Amino acid sequence: MPKPMMYGCIFTFYCCCLALLAAAQVTDPSEVSALRDVRSSLDDPMKHLQNWSRGDPCVSNWPGVFCYDTVDLDGYLHVRDLHLLNMNLSGSLSPALGKLTLLQILDFMWNQISGEIPKEIGNIASLKLLLLNGNSLSGSLPDELGNLSNLTRLQFDENNISGPLPKSFANLSNLRHLHLNNNSISGQIPPELSNMSRLLHLLLDNNNLSGSLPREISYLPKLAILQLDNNNFDGSEIPATYGNLSTLSKLSLRNCSLVGQIPDLSRIQNLSYVDLSRNRLSGPIPSNKLSENATTINLSNNNLNGSIPSGFSDLPSLQKLSLANNTLTGSIPASLWQNITFIPNAKLTVDLQNNLLSTIAGQLNPPENVTLRLGGNPVCSNANVPNIAQFCISQTQGDEQLPNSTNSTCPVYSCPTDNNYEYVPVSPVPCFCAAPLRIGYRLKSPSVSYFPPYIDLFETYLTSSLKLERYQLSIDSFSWEVGPRLRMYLKIFPPVSNQLHYFNATEVQRIRRIYTSWDFPRTDLFGPYELLNFTLLGPYSSSVLPTQNSGISKGIIVAIVLAAVACAVSISALITFLIIRRSKGNQNSLSRKHLSSKISIKIEGVKAFTFRQMAQATNNFNSSSKVGQGGYGKVYKGILSDHAVVAIKRAEEGSLQGQREFLTEIKLLSRLHHRNLVSLVGYCDEEGEQMLVYEFMPNGTLRDWISGIW
Ligand SMILES: *[C@@H]1O[C@H](CO)[C@@H](O)[C@H](O)[C@H]1NC(C)=O
Ligand SMILES: *[C@@H]1O[C@H](CO)[C@@H](O)[C@H](O)[C@H]1NC(C)=O
Ligand SMILES: *[C@@H]1O[C@H](CO)[C@@H](O)[C@H](O)[C@H]1NC(C)=O
Ligand SMILES: *[C@@H]1O[C@H](CO)[C@@H](O)[C@H](O)[C@H]1NC(C)=O
Ligand SMILES: *[C@@H]1O[C@H](CO)[C@@H](O)[C@H](O)[C@H]1NC(C)=O
Ligand SMILES: *[C@@H]1O[C@H](CO)[C@@H](O)[C@H](O)[C@H]1NC(C)=O
Ligand SMILES: *[C@@H]1O[C@H](CO)[C@@H](O)[C@H](O)[C@H]1NC(C)=O
Ligand SMILES: *[C@@H]1O[C@H](CO)[C@@H](O)[C@H](O)[C@H]1NC(C)=O
Ligand SMILES: *[C@@H]1O[C@H](CO)[C@@H](O)[C@H](O)[C@H]1NC(C)=O
Ligand SMILES: *[C@@H]1O[C@H](CO)[C@@H](O)[C@H](O)[C@H]1NC(C)=O
Ligand SMILES: *[C@@H]1O[C@H](CO)[C@@H](O)[C@H](O)[C@H]1NC(C)=O
Ligand SMILES: *[C@@H]1O[C@H](CO)[C@@H](O)[C@H](O)[C@H]1NC(C)=O
């Protein structure tokens, strides 16, 4: 082959290779440019989106961008989710979002984004979750959003949205959750919304809605939560047909300027929470007994008259009954508190203040767990009722408290708190120290008004949905906020079997995804939740999160890399061939460099042993040296060359960690000094083995750490 031709060949080949490498830009180019537009219309003071300027969205792990894991028929990867929760973003939303035509989740929750909601979002036919709550968005709701027929969740709460509720939303036939509370939406609730045959939770509280309450809402076949507090339906009545909403769990119409009578709600089988307070409702209270699930009945601050119906007695889940500030007459039935059969930790508050109640029918001896308020009634000046005074003074309510779960017997300094480690409060292994994921969480519309009796149920619900053990979840604190909403701070700990004492990246991604995709099974008792933050500290802070699922696009990357390598190899072969032909006899062979980049650490007092030293100490890991066996591997008694007696914990095949994790664990171990724990002497990280060498301690403590601690 003539030389020029050969070089030509090589050049062409080389170009091919470059082209192949360029094909690493595998995301649909129109989506790449859309993402760039989205970024440029946002202000990003914390530079969370800095990396959106390099590489490819799907392959280079742009923060918050998640892609489908297979290449589409058009040969491109497409963006599936945008998760930009709590990133301090301001600026506005670009209409270019509409070009992300295969998007399923659009999540900008809890930023400071302003401007209008681009109508182009209505083009994203595949959208399932549209989450823009907790921003400063203004303007009105675009009609075009009614085109999103696959949408299951629309959350725009806590913005400054004004204008009417579009009739086109009636086309959202898959929508389960419509959360528009805490905005300035005005006008009438369109009766057409009753076409949303799958709607479960309708939250429109704290807006400027007016007109009448549409009777048609009662046609919604699955509605479980209807919360419309703090609107102004001036002079409107509550349609009697709301008593047909058979799937309802919560009905909250507080402070809505409603008039007329209270409809009969006794046919609603699972009704847990009724708040009709602060209206101008009049007439008697319907006498039929409400659902046994009732936890909260608040009819205070109305113009109700007549007597207290006996139907409020014998409701086993009742936590709060308020009829205060009405004009109720007659006697107070002692059966309200006499026949109560409490569930554990339960409490009941009965508030009848400021009525015209004059006598007590029965004994005035409420049990300890019932708070009774009778002030402002004629009965308080009724000399015939003994002990009445204590119920007529105003009392301050005790705070709700978490049950004590921590045993503070663990040594204070043994858990390195500076790096986000702490004791797992109810760990089955005593004083298990681990790094939690920290989650800000809020129940937006719970159907309970007193939480402690439900904590157990709640923890079981969360952990089983997350596929975790109960002890892995700890509710750090909770508090009620206006709404009422229940804010909590959760910690999720790795299992005691986890040798690293923190979740690996796959697990963090899995747990985070369940929260951010609303993959929890539905619960009407606890209602919808809000994710406020998902904070990654200590060992988690280095994980570049949120990012691509690790499995995704690996295949593609591998293919590209293989192609590139094949290219490079071919070129090298050609060049080598040429060189060899040119300079025959020249024995200039390239020496292969052995790339052994073994990380090694130096920690005071911790020695690195060789495999040979370990084998000698244990007589070649002879079974006679074996003193124990844990999930992690076998433990041997060994004698080092300096005659020191040690225990050697040898990881089994399945328990091997990555080298970095292993060294991290050793660093952690070396910092733990606890008199009941054996101390670390050294480690061995050779020949594919991982061993930890401890001071040998007979019996007790040894059993402890074999069984799981260290
Ligand atoms: C951007 O990428 C660099 C290099 O991969 C990484 O160190 C950095 O943490 C990334 N920044 C963000 C905000 O993800
Ligand atoms: C947002 O900004 C505040 C201060 O302006 C800062 O304390 C906070 O850590 C930031 N949050 C995030 C998620 O960057
Ligand atoms: C809507 O959802 C259905 C069922 O999941 C799916 O088959 C369909 O492709 C989706 N439509 C769009 C436009 O993505
Ligand atoms: C989307 O909605 C708008 C307004 O509701 C309507 O005019 C338009 O025809 C719809 N587009 C599609 C593709 O359905
Ligand atoms: C009502 O109570 C029943 C029986 O205790 C229970 O199965 C059901 O889940 C409850 N419904 C709600 C909405 O809490
Ligand atoms: C009853 O009305 C009084 C006076 O308006 C108010 O101070 C009190 O908070 C009301 N009670 C309840 C339970 O709403
Ligand atoms: C309360 O219990 C007593 C007996 O324990 C019973 O006779 C009475 O009917 C009950 N009252 C109500 C309202 O259930
Ligand atoms: C009632 O309250 C007391 C303490 O105030 C508590 O010991 C008791 O267990 C409670 N009863 C029920 C049934 O919750
Ligand atoms: C929890 O324990 C602390 C101290 O031991 C005690 O003061 C507090 O009252 C306990 N709280 C509850 C709810 O039992
Ligand atoms: C606290 O310690 C005591 C005795 O050591 C034990 O019985 C109890 O179960 C522990 N409580 C928790 C929550 O671990
Ligand atoms: C996360 O939410 C919790 C609970 O609301 C709050 O205490 C904490 O400060 C929040 N952390 C961040 C970083 O926003
Ligand atoms: C991460 O942890 C989970 C559960 O402990 C485990 O099943 C999985 O294999 C781990 N993944 C990696 C990459 O280590």
Side-chain angles (χ1 to χ4, degrees):
M1 185 157 36
K3 252 185 197 167
M5 206 172 130
M6 188 181 295
Y7 285 127
C9 265
I10 293 170
F11 184 72
T12 320
F13 202 36
Y14 187 65
C15 288
C16 285
C17 294
L18 281 182
L20 239 174
L21 280 172
Q25 303 277 340
V26 284
T27 306
D28 184 336
S30 71
E31 295 185 19
V32 179
S33 85
L35 287 171
R36 295 223 159 91
D37 290 349
V38 168
R39 182 191 173 214
S40 65
S41 69
L42 291 169
D43 274 336
D44 177 20
M46 313 301 287
K47 302 214 182 314
H48 288 295
L49 306 185
Q50 192 177 29
N51 288 356
W52 281 30
S53 51
R54 63 165 153 220
D56 178 82
C58 295
V59 176
S60 321
N61 286 343
W62 284 15
V65 179
F66 293 76
C67 300
Y68 289 90
D69 52 7
T70 49
V71 176
D72 201 28
L73 290 177
D74 62 11
Y76 290 120
L77 280 172
H78 294 278
V79 179
R80 187 195 63 206
D81 303 347
L82 267 189
H83 288 287
L84 301 172
L85 152 82
N86 210 344
M87 288 188 169
N88 277 348
L89 302 172
S90 54
S92 60
L93 294 178
S94 166
L97 283 167
K99 294 187 187 146
L100 300 170
T101 49
L102 294 170
L103 208 59
Q104 293 190 1
I105 300 179
L106 184 57
D107 170 359
F108 281 100
M109 301 185 296
W110 309 113
N111 287 291
Q112 290 103 46
I113 300 168
S114 54
E116 302 207 356
I117 298 170
K119 62 179 192 303
E120 288 78 3
I121 290 179
N123 298 338
I124 313 176
S126 51
L127 207 58
K128 291 181 177 162
L129 270 52
L130 180 49
L131 315 169
L132 304 178
N133 48 302
N135 282 287
S136 306
L137 296 164
S138 56
S140 53
L141 294 164
D143 284 339
E144 286 77 0
L145 297 183
N147 293 342
L148 297 171
S149 58
N150 269 11
L151 203 64
T152 62
R153 182 176 287 271
L154 189 155
Q155 295 183 176
F156 291 169
D157 41 298
E158 308 211 19
N159 279 289
N160 303 322
I161 298 166
S162 55
L165 192 51
K167 285 193 178 67
S168 66
F169 279 21
N171 302 328
L172 297 171
S173 56
N174 271 302
L175 199 70
R176 267 75 162 174
H177 302 273
L178 181 56
H179 301 172
L180 297 171
N181 53 285
N182 298 71
N183 280 291
S184 304
I185 298 169
S186 56
Q188 154 118 33
I189 299 175
E192 289 83 354
L193 292 194
S194 61
N195 288 340
M196 301 164 98
S197 58
R198 295 202 165 90
L199 195 65
L200 301 172
H201 297 170
L202 179 58
L203 273 53
L204 297 172
D205 49 299
N206 299 293
N207 278 292
N208 297 330
L209 293 166
S210 58
S212 61
L213 273 187
R215 194 166 44 96
E216 288 80 355
I217 293 285
S218 50
Y219 305 153
L220 285 167
K222 300 202 164 160
L223 192 66
I225 295 179
L226 179 60
Q227 184 162 4
L228 303 177
D229 317 319
N230 301 322
N231 281 290
N232 190 3
F233 305 106
D234 195 18
S236 174
E237 299 192 11
I238 303 172
T241 51
Y242 282 19
N244 301 339
L245 277 163
S246 59
T247 51
L248 211 58
S249 169
K250 178 166 183 171
L251 177 65
S252 197
L253 304 172
R254 183 179 68 251
N255 190 25
C256 285
S257 306
L258 297 166
V259 300
Q261 300 211 1
I262 295 176
D264 178 10
L265 302 171
S266 65
R267 297 189 306 279
I268 307 180
Q269 228 176 19
N270 285 337
L271 191 63
S272 302
Y273 193 109
V274 183
D275 187 349
L276 305 177
S277 64
R278 299 186 185 277
N279 284 295
R280 286 180 274 131
L281 300 169
S282 56
I285 299 170
S287 59
N288 292 334
K289 194 165 178 303
L290 290 179
S291 157
E292 299 237 315
N293 290 44
T295 67
T296 307
I297 302 170
N298 190 349
L299 307 178
S300 64
N301 298 286
N302 279 292
N303 304 325
L304 301 170
N305 56 29
S307 57
I308 299 173
S310 63
F312 290 141
S313 304
D314 223 7
L315 293 174
S317 307
L318 198 62
Q319 306 178 321
K320 176 173 177 172
L321 170 65
S322 181
L323 307 175
N325 291 346
N326 280 292
T327 50
L328 299 169
T329 52
S331 62
I332 300 164
S335 56
L336 285 181
W337 56 81
Q338 257 171 4
N339 285 26
I340 290 261
T341 46
F342 278 111
I343 52 172
N345 301 316
K347 276 188 184 166
L348 169 64
T349 301
V350 178
D351 189 346
L352 305 175
Q353 292 178 91
N354 303 320
N355 276 288
L356 302 172
L357 300 161
S358 53
T359 55
I360 309 258
Q363 300 261 302
L364 186 57
N365 59 347
E368 200 182 345
N369 306 7
V370 175
T371 306
L372 190 56
R373 294 189 182 143
L374 302 177
N377 279 290
V379 70
C380 287
S381 43
N382 187 337
N384 296 333
V385 185
N387 302 326
I388 187 87
Q390 65 182 107
F391 303 107
C392 290
I393 51 172
S394 59
Q395 310 152 32
T396 50
Q397 189 143 23
D399 283 340
E400 293 178 30
Q401 277 187 347
L402 282 165
N404 273 346
S405 57
T406 332
N407 267 343
S408 55
T409 52
C410 295
V412 181
Y413 300 109
S414 305
C415 201
T417 49
D418 58 330
N419 212 12
N420 187 33
Y421 287 89
E422 54 187 82
Y423 290 119
V424 182
V426 289
S427 153
V429 172
C431 300
F432 180 71
C433 176
L437 299 172
R438 296 161 188 270
I439 296 170
Y441 185 91
R442 191 160 66 158
L443 298 179
K444 215 186 254 189
S445 184
S447 291
V448 303
S449 50
Y450 181 65
F451 191 47
Y454 293 94
I455 290 177
D456 241 25
L457 190 62
F458 177 73
E459 291 186 338
T460 306
Y461 165 74
L462 272 194
T463 48
S464 64
S465 313
L466 291 166
K467 299 197 169 60
L468 299 174
E469 300 289 332
R470 266 292 291 281
Y471 71 84
Q472 293 182 254
L473 171 70
S474 156
I475 301 179
D476 208 55
S477 61
F478 72 88
S479 61
W480 287 96
E481 297 183 342
V482 286
R485 314 193 199 279
L486 186 61
R487 179 188 279 261
M488 296 182 220
Y489 187 30
L490 310 176
K491 287 180 183 165
I492 296 185
F493 292 94
V496 290
S497 59
N498 181 320
Q499 292 285 329
L500 302 178
H501 304 255
Y502 59 87
F503 287 112
N504 63 30
T506 321
E507 278 288 281
V508 176
Q509 297 264 14
R510 183 185 73 82
I511 293 168
R512 191 185 152 100
R513 182 155 176 85
I514 295 176
Y515 276 99
T516 56
S517 310
W518 271 263
D519 279 345
F520 288 99
R522 166 187 167 193
T523 156
D524 296 329
L525 183 62
F526 298 121
Y529 75 86
E530 301 175 87
L531 182 62
L532 301 177
N533 61 46
F534 194 102
T535 311
L536 298 168
L537 300 173
Y540 305 115
S541 54
S542 58
S543 5
V544 191
L545 270 166
T547 181
Q548 192 73 42
N549 286 347
S550 53
I552 293 182
S553 76
K554 246 184 197 158
I556 294 153
I557 293 169
V558 166
I560 291 164
V561 169
L562 280 182
V565 166
C567 262
V569 167
S570 316
I571 289 181
S572 315
L574 259 170
I575 291 172
T576 316
F577 174 71
L578 285 177
I579 290 171
I580 290 172
R581 264 198 19 177
R582 266 187 154 191
S583 49
K584 266 187 202 133
N586 189 345
Q587 302 294 328
N588 188 11
S589 67
L590 298 164
S591 74
R592 245 191 333 143
K593 197 169 185 182
H594 182 61
L595 287 175
S596 154
S597 65
K598 225 160 165 50
I599 318 163
S600 69
I601 51 165
K602 281 210 174 66
I603 303 169
E604 211 178 326
V606 179
K607 203 176 158 202
F609 291 99
T610 63
F611 182 77
R612 250 187 88 200
Q613 286 172 313
M614 296 288 93
Q616 278 169 355
T618 56
N619 196 8
N620 257 331
F621 301 100
N622 194 302
S623 57
S624 65
S625 310
K626 197 179 114 183
V627 290
Q629 167 102 44
Y632 173 87
K634 295 189 177 71
V635 181
Y636 298 89
K637 180 176 175 178
I639 299 170
L640 300 177
S641 53
D642 64 359
H643 306 296
V645 184
V646 292
I648 298 172
K649 199 166 153 188
R650 183 188 192 193
E652 259 164 15
E653 196 71 24
S655 309
L656 290 176
Q657 311 170 21
Q659 190 179 38
R660 212 167 59 93
E661 287 80 10
F662 183 59
L663 296 178
T664 306
E665 189 191 353
I666 293 167
K667 275 186 202 163
L668 175 63
L669 284 174
S670 70
R671 295 169 57 190
L672 294 168
H673 302 290
H674 171 20
R675 66 199 148 78
N676 294 327
L677 294 179
V678 284
S679 62
L680 186 70
V681 175
Y683 69 98
C684 167
D685 186 24
E686 266 198 12
E687 307 200 7
E689 296 267 357
Q690 290 177 343
M691 287 178 252
L692 293 173
V693 183
Y694 298 88
E695 196 182 318
F696 187 82
M697 290 246 189
N699 301 330
T701 45
L702 179 66
R703 192 185 56 238
D704 284 349
W705 60 264
I706 292 172
S707 69
I709 316 173
W710 303 114

